[in-house]
Amino acid sequence: LTFLQASLQTQFVCCVVILGHGMLSLTSFSAFLPVFRRYTNFLIGSVFVPLVAVLIADWFVVSAGSWDLSEQSSLRPAMFAAWFSGFVAYQLVNPGYVNGWNDLWIWVQQLIGFTPPTWLAASWFALVVGAVATLVFGLAERAARRRRSSAR
């Protein structure tokens, strides 16, 4: 590894640790406040669980431990689509407790005829869906990128 690559990896790890610590602190604090308990469930389960799945699957499989963090790096909409897939998976299994929001997802469940089994944990489902979607979308994106670069 060059010094610059090691520095970028160190910065990335530090950012993840700091953000993780901040979110854990915020979550722990908000658990004591009844109003925020509903939102904690929403944030941790439906937002961050699929995000972690996308990051892990992308880093270890799709990008093979090499992210382009330069200013010239391209936008990767496939990663957003993978995260959104995990987000939707979580909401379908556990619509949550936020008034209005859970009504929307219960309506979507009824619309598509989905009744989550009682044994299915929303976080695990979101983790698996997010990771699988990352592999599917990410590998397709990587193949398309290679075809474009070889055509030049």
Side-chain angles (χ1 to χ4, degrees):
L1 288 175
T2 67
F3 176 74
L4 181 60
Q5 288 173 325
S7 174
L8 287 174
Q9 287 179 342
T10 304
Q11 290 174 4
F12 174 73
V13 169
C14 287
C15 285
V16 168
V17 168
I18 289 169
L19 285 173
H21 183 346
M23 289 311 302
L24 212 63
S25 299
L26 178 65
T27 304
S28 298
F29 173 73
S30 68
F32 293 108
L33 303 173
V35 175
F36 291 110
R37 285 189 184 148
R38 321 174 170 179
Y39 300 102
T40 303
N41 178 35
F42 172 79
L43 279 175
I44 297 297
S46 64
V47 175
F48 293 114
V49 168
L51 184 61
V52 166
V54 169
L55 290 172
I56 290 172
D58 183 47
W59 176 258
F60 287 106
V61 180
V62 176
S63 296
S66 175
W67 279 335
D68 180 8
L69 302 175
S70 69
E71 291 182 18
Q72 293 80 24
S73 62
S74 60
L75 184 65
R76 297 182 63 202
M79 297 303 101
F80 174 77
W83 169 81
F84 189 70
S85 299
F87 175 83
V88 168
Y90 185 94
Q91 293 301 318
L92 286 174
V93 175
N94 179 14
Y97 308 104
V98 178
N99 295 334
W101 182 257
N102 62 349
D103 296 333
L104 168 72
W105 288 101
I106 291 169
W107 176 78
V108 171
Q109 283 177 340
Q110 294 168 349
L111 181 70
I112 64 173
F114 178 74
T115 304
T118 56
W119 55 263
L120 185 60
S123 293
W124 284 109
F125 189 54
L127 192 75
V128 170
V129 169
V132 170
T134 301
L135 296 176
V136 171
F137 298 148
L139 293 173
E141 179 184 62
R142 185 171 74 179
R145 202 176 322 124
R146 284 185 180 160
R147 278 193 302 273
R148 281 192 303 264
S149 66
S150 67
R152 291 180 192 170

